[in-house]
Amino acid sequence: PWCQQLAQRAGVGAPAEVPAVTEKQFMAAVMRYATAHAWLVYHTHDSRRSLPGYPDLTLVHPERQVALWAELKVGDAQPTLQQGHWLKALGAVQETAAFVWTPDDMPEIVMRHT
């Protein structure tokens, strides 16, 4: 109680409410559910050396031929500007393809994908 009084006198508001689950717990639950229902799930565990904004999860259902990208948030958290750009771009995708490329494929990569 005396900490709250001291904080009020200092002009510091009450701490933000703690979410019922953490983002890590939420992600684990989503990943468990997805894998139990035949989704392939990808999550970059350490993205510190990656460009910012890519969504937390990439999920692919081979039988349904569906790909999803999901940014997970808990509480009042909102996507960053970069996350919003990625989600908008990924949500607008109308065609997907998958490749195995080698350096020898560079001429074709440039010709077909520019």
Side-chain angles (χ1 to χ4, degrees):
W2 72 271
C3 287
Q4 290 174 344
Q5 293 170 355
L6 183 61
Q8 286 174 343
R9 281 189 272 159
V12 177
E17 189 173 315
V18 177
V21 296
T22 66
E23 186 174 312
K24 185 176 179 179
Q25 291 168 326
F26 179 41
M27 183 174 306
V30 170
M31 292 173 72
R32 275 193 310 273
Y33 179 84
T35 55
H37 289 87
W39 289 85
L40 298 174
V41 179
Y42 175 78
H43 168 66
T44 301
H45 290 280
D46 186 355
S47 62
R48 289 178 293 183
R49 296 183 75 188
S50 299
L51 293 174
Y54 193 80
D56 291 322
L57 295 176
T58 299
L59 302 107
V60 177
H61 199 291
E63 292 175 19
R64 296 182 189 168
Q65 299 177 338
V66 174
L68 304 174
W69 294 270
E71 180 61 36
L72 305 181
K73 299 290 183 189
V74 297
D76 293 335
Q78 297 292 315
T80 65
L81 184 62
Q82 294 95 339
Q83 290 167 339
H85 288 309
W86 266 105
L87 292 169
K88 183 177 180 182
L90 290 167
V93 169
Q94 304 235 345
E95 180 181 336
T96 62
F99 301 94
V100 174
W101 284 334
T102 68
D104 293 338
D105 297 317
M106 195 62 193
E108 181 182 346
I109 294 167
V110 171
M111 185 176 69
R112 291 185 156 214
H113 303 285
T114 49

